[in-house]
Amino acid sequence: MPKFLVITAVLVVAPLVFIQCGNGGSAAEMYPALTPKLPDLTGATTISGIVKFEGKIPVRRTIEMGGDAWCKSHQDKEKAQETDLIVSESGGLKDALVLISKGLEAYTFDYEKTPAVMDQVHCMYVPTVLAVRTFQPVEFRTSDTTNHNVNTLNSVHGQGFNKSISGAGSKIDWQFRKPEVNMRVICNIHTWMRGWVHVVDHPYFTLTKEDGSFTLPNVPPGTYEVEVVHHLLGTKRQSVTVAANTPAALNFALTKK
Ligand SMILES: [Cu+2]
């Protein structure tokens, strides 16, 4: 087949396959059968460290909600600050995903069935960043008495959705079934609303705290690649060898691209 036909076929057919497979899903939770193959935790220890932002510490501005009367009148002046880049006074980067990206291939972990929650409060996502397991139930809630929509359609695996939500206490139930990072959550009604969802297929991940610190507990001895992912600053990886009962330290620095 001529090369251009192959390329055309890939470009045309591939998106259709993604749409029809629907890797995400709502309503009834689905858990394909699996046989856990868990690591031996003898000598397991922690990997911990700090993720720093390199560069001038950004000043977070208060969000202007003037375009919507309900949001403006309910705005939490302290909390309604830009969420794209949150850096502490000491340069610690908040809300970076830290995960083991290589070294766990031999294992199969049980599902996490406790729902993860992203709420909408005073026209902001709370929390702004959510890190969940594949197949973990996720509840997109609203505590607001105004209308929102939740749009995650930038998913590269076609597991996003776009649904409207209104009425305090309402929720959208969803499952993300493929590992994926930096899925953006937006509300098409309120352009300042921005969140991110990361989906990981094992339990060795966390989000950095206010000061940029992180801890991955219960890591069995071995050699791993650890990855840090930030929605704005990109990805960095380092390898680390974890010896039995010896906590490992690992620091990262990210900067604007
Ligand atoms: Cu909204």
Side-chain angles (χ1 to χ4, degrees):
M1 195 187 288
K3 202 173 183 180
F4 76 92
L5 277 181
V6 175
I7 292 168
T8 307
V10 168
L11 288 176
V12 171
V13 173
L16 294 177
V17 170
F18 277 126
I19 290 162
Q20 285 171 4
C21 286
N23 291 313
S26 62
E29 287 144 14
M30 184 180 96
Y31 298 103
L34 63 77
T35 308
K37 194 179 166 212
L38 303 176
D40 177 1
L41 294 180
T42 309
T45 185
T46 57
I47 300 175
S48 60
I50 303 247
V51 179
K52 291 244 177 182
F53 172 71
E54 258 177 7
K56 189 166 174 282
I57 294 174
V59 178
R60 294 171 64 199
R61 282 174 301 202
T62 300
I63 288 170
E64 177 53 54
M65 295 187 182
D68 183 292
W70 191 94
C71 293
K72 190 172 171 60
S73 63
H74 290 79
Q75 180 166 5
D76 184 328
K77 287 276 186 293
E78 259 178 45
K79 290 181 183 158
Q81 291 187 316
E82 290 176 327
T83 51
D84 283 353
L85 186 55
I86 304 176
V87 180
S88 74
E89 284 178 8
S90 59
L93 178 66
K94 184 178 188 281
D95 279 344
L97 172 72
V98 180
L99 74 152
I100 292 181
S101 46
K102 279 185 190 162
L104 296 169
E105 293 79 4
Y107 308 118
T108 304
F109 297 91
D110 290 310
Y111 291 113
E112 173 59 68
K113 294 185 177 178
T114 306
V117 176
M118 182 179 276
D119 201 353
Q120 295 164 92
V121 184
H122 300 150
C123 302
M124 298 283 291
Y125 292 116
V126 181
T128 309
V129 182
L130 205 57
V132 303
R133 293 276 305 278
T134 41
F135 292 93
Q136 182 174 0
V138 183
E139 296 178 6
F140 292 90
R141 292 185 193 162
T142 181
S143 299
D144 291 342
T145 50
T146 191
N147 298 328
H148 293 292
N149 76 306
V150 180
N151 180 334
T152 61
L153 289 179
N154 88 319
S155 163
V156 297
H157 290 310
Q159 58 182 343
F161 62 90
N162 181 14
K163 290 174 183 282
S164 57
I165 182 167
S166 59
S170 303
K171 65 180 176 122
I172 298 163
D173 291 308
W174 201 255
Q175 263 186 330
F176 298 101
R177 295 168 183 170
K178 295 252 179 185
E180 178 168 358
V181 295
N182 291 330
M183 216 181 310
R184 201 180 58 213
V185 185
I186 58 171
C187 170
N188 298 98
I189 302 168
H190 308 112
T191 52
W192 62 83
M193 292 181 70
R194 252 199 309 277
W196 288 268
V197 177
H198 306 293
V199 187
V200 183
D201 62 357
H202 61 69
Y204 289 94
F205 65 93
T206 188
L207 295 171
T208 53
K209 297 182 185 159
E210 289 290 337
D211 61 356
S213 66
F214 70 90
T215 299
L216 297 170
N218 294 320
V219 181
T223 296
Y224 302 96
E225 182 185 79
V226 176
E227 188 169 282
V228 57
V229 181
H230 186 269
H231 46 265
L232 192 68
L233 306 177
T235 299
K236 276 201 175 175
R237 300 179 183 94
Q238 286 187 60
S239 81
V240 60
T241 297
V242 176
N245 301 310
T246 311
L250 203 57
N251 296 320
F252 289 88
L254 296 184
T255 189
K256 276 190 179 168
K257 289 175 275 186

